[in-house]
Amino acid sequence: MMMQTSPCRTDENRARYGTGVFAFMCGATLTGVLIGTMCFCLSADTQASRLFLPSGGMKSLLQNDPGSVMAGSLLGSTVFLLGLAIAGLCAVGQPFAVLLIMLRGMGIGHKAAQLYSTAGKGDMLYAAGLFLPGAVISALALALAAREALSLSNIYLRLTLSGGRGYDPSGAVKLYGTKLLVVEAMLALAAGADTICCYLFSGKLI
């Protein structure tokens, strides 16, 4: 799914540009994951053994019914998608798109560390099975949305600097909206994965 960011850019250049931006957004997400994990470890306790002690707050989360799990997962991801959609429609939305994707990564890292602290050494595989499938799908989907947001934001920036001459962005905006709908479908898939994994594995961690 590549968005044309310049009327004169070739298909090969667009593909290279899109791949590079997607890799950058994935890197920003991973950076956020590391920051979120460090924040949990430092705020909970400076001792590394804290990661292997039970967490009552996470236990209550694991006891949610499937409907609540799916709704919460989809709502949380959709909020970030809406933020990225707005950033893409702004000429100066590029840094906000990167910030949003990093914040999403921080949330993933913090939740993963909290979950692993609940699981203990013997249940790490159950914790990974519970958390990773939905988290990976949603992270990749939002990285795609962030790439498209940055691309459209660049279009608006160029139009602003050129006084709005030389290119009609209406086609790019329509394509942008279509791609975000596809991303929302991917987020729904991630929420479904969270629900199924919660049903399969949460009982092993409570």
Side-chain angles (χ1 to χ4, degrees), residues 24-164:
F24 174 78
M25 291 302 179
C26 288
T29 302
L30 289 175
T31 300
V33 169
L34 293 175
I35 294 173
T37 302
M38 291 175 60
C39 287
F40 175 81
C41 296
L42 294 175
S43 64
D45 196 327
T46 56
Q47 298 179 4
S49 60
R50 174 64 182 81
L51 287 175
F52 302 100
L53 296 178
S55 171
M58 199 64 184
K59 284 186 178 181
S60 65
L61 176 63
L62 294 174
Q63 291 170 344
N64 280 339
D65 62 274
S68 298
V69 172
M70 185 162 189
S73 175
L74 184 58
L75 178 62
S77 298
T78 300
V79 168
F80 280 93
L81 180 60
L82 290 175
L84 290 169
I86 295 172
L89 296 172
C90 300
V92 291
Q94 300 90 338
F96 297 100
V98 177
L99 177 61
L100 282 169
I101 205 71
M102 286 189 66
L103 287 174
R104 177 61 173 176
M106 289 174 64
I108 292 174
H110 191 277
K111 184 178 178 182
Q114 190 178 11
L115 182 60
Y116 292 148
S117 75
T118 300
K121 294 180 179 180
D123 294 323
M124 283 294 184
L125 289 179
Y126 291 123
L130 172 67
F131 178 71
L132 282 181
V136 170
I137 295 172
S138 65
L140 291 175
L142 289 174
L144 285 171
R147 181 192 70 181
E148 301 303 330
L150 189 143
S151 298
L152 186 61
S153 183
N154 285 340
I155 290 176
Y156 277 111
L157 179 61
R158 281 193 290 271
L159 287 173
T160 300
L161 295 176
S162 66

Side-chain angles (χ1 to χ4, degrees), residues 181-203:
L181 289 177
V182 174
V183 171
E184 179 65 13
M186 294 175 66
L187 295 179
L189 177 63
D194 281 335
T195 305
I196 294 172
C197 291
C198 185
Y199 175 78
L200 293 176
F201 299 115
S202 62

Side-chain angles (χ1 to χ4, degrees), residues 4-17:
Q4 181 173 348
T5 58
S6 172
C8 60
R9 178 172 282 156
T10 66
D11 290 340
E12 182 180 355
N13 286 338
R14 285 201 304 271
R16 188 179 297 113
Y17 172 86

